[in-house]
Amino acid sequence: MTTATVLSWALSIVCNVVLPLLTYHWLTGAGWSGFSALVVSGVWPVVDTVVYLIWHRRIDEFAVITLIFLALTLVVTVIGPHSSHLLLVKDSAVTGLFGVVCLASLAARRPLMFYFGRKFGTDGSKEGLARWQGLWDEYEGFRRMIRLITLVWGVGYVVEAVTRIGLSYLLPTQAMIGVNAVLGYGFPAALIAWTVAYGKKARARGARRQAEAGAGEARVGVG
């Protein structure tokens, strides 16, 4: 965990999560329309992408994905009737789409969480990126871990979206706004906690297997 890694993480979280949310709520509270507030909020991921490009000389996939989903949010906001109920359904549809993208990426050469992991698991340097790519190229266990994480996030977000859409038809709008906020923040937090715990267990298993293999080779050498 280097200083560069911490700064990279902090910049991404602030520009892709914190500032867009604060900007959106501040502008809507000041009387701006939801559409206009979303457009202005989308400036922050652009700032993150530009800073990352200048810093690392390459595009940041995380910021690009954030921009894509901000654009999708803008699209679903302006399409169709603008009732509060339908806006809740549209918001859930965007998160469900993220889950579908995760699942679809399993058919690609590298699933989506490979790039998210590279973003938050390295310091962005050439050495760090090369090490991450080496883990993918050399270790089947690492590839299996990344694919499982992608599968869990994909299924999780699809289930979350279906649950939110179903509840939006069962609960009053005012109650659903509160449920939406809890699920919107609590569900990603639960997935992140599971990912961290699973990653630690996977690393521990890998280290244990390496130690066992080394001990076996030592015994063979002695024999």
Side-chain angles (χ1 to χ4, degrees):
M1 184 68 70
T2 64
T3 302
T5 302
V6 174
L7 289 175
S8 181
W9 287 17
L11 178 64
S12 288
I13 293 172
V14 168
C15 287
N16 291 282
V17 180
V18 178
L19 288 177
L21 284 173
L22 291 177
T23 302
Y24 178 81
H25 287 298
W26 181 74
L27 291 177
T28 52
W32 288 49
S33 69
F35 179 81
S36 300
L38 279 172
V39 171
V40 176
S41 300
V43 170
W44 294 114
V46 175
V47 171
D48 181 37
T49 302
V50 172
V51 172
Y52 194 91
L53 181 60
I54 294 172
W55 188 358
H56 297 290
R57 306 295 183 183
R58 68 180 185 85
I59 294 295
D60 177 18
E61 297 92 350
F62 182 77
V64 170
I65 292 172
T66 301
L67 280 173
I68 291 172
F69 277 92
L70 276 172
L72 288 173
T73 302
L74 288 173
V75 171
V76 299
T77 299
V78 299
I79 291 177
H82 289 180
S83 70
S84 56
H85 175 263
L86 287 179
L87 285 175
L88 290 171
V89 172
K90 291 174 182 179
D91 186 47
S92 303
V94 172
T95 61
L97 179 59
F98 176 75
V100 171
V101 171
C102 284
L103 295 175
S105 73
L106 290 169
R109 186 178 177 185
R110 299 182 186 88
L112 185 60
M113 287 302 159
F114 170 85
Y115 301 101
F116 274 51
R118 187 174 68 180
K119 166 67 179 178
F120 292 105
T122 74
D123 59 3
S125 65
K126 290 183 179 179
E127 294 77 12
L129 298 179
R131 179 178 178 277
W132 188 261
Q133 184 62 49
L135 290 172
W136 176 266
D137 293 337
E138 297 177 23
Y139 298 104
E140 173 60 31
F142 182 78
R143 295 193 292 272
R144 185 166 56 249
M145 179 187 73
I146 295 296
R147 290 192 176 103
L148 178 59
I149 291 174
T150 304
L151 175 65
V152 170
W153 278 69
V155 172
Y157 263 104
V158 170
V159 170
E160 187 255 9
V162 171
T163 301
R164 286 168 67 179
I165 291 173
L167 288 175
S168 69
Y169 285 97
L170 297 175
L171 299 177
T173 299
Q174 191 62 34
M176 190 56 206
I177 290 174
V179 172
N180 221 33
V182 171
L183 289 177
Y185 291 100
F187 198 80
L191 282 175
I192 291 170
W194 172 84
T195 302
V196 171
Y198 173 67
K200 287 181 178 179
K201 290 181 179 179
R203 286 195 298 271
R205 285 197 302 268
R208 187 167 57 250
R209 288 171 183 169
Q210 285 184 334
E212 291 172 353
E217 291 176 358
R219 285 194 297 269
V220 171
V222 171

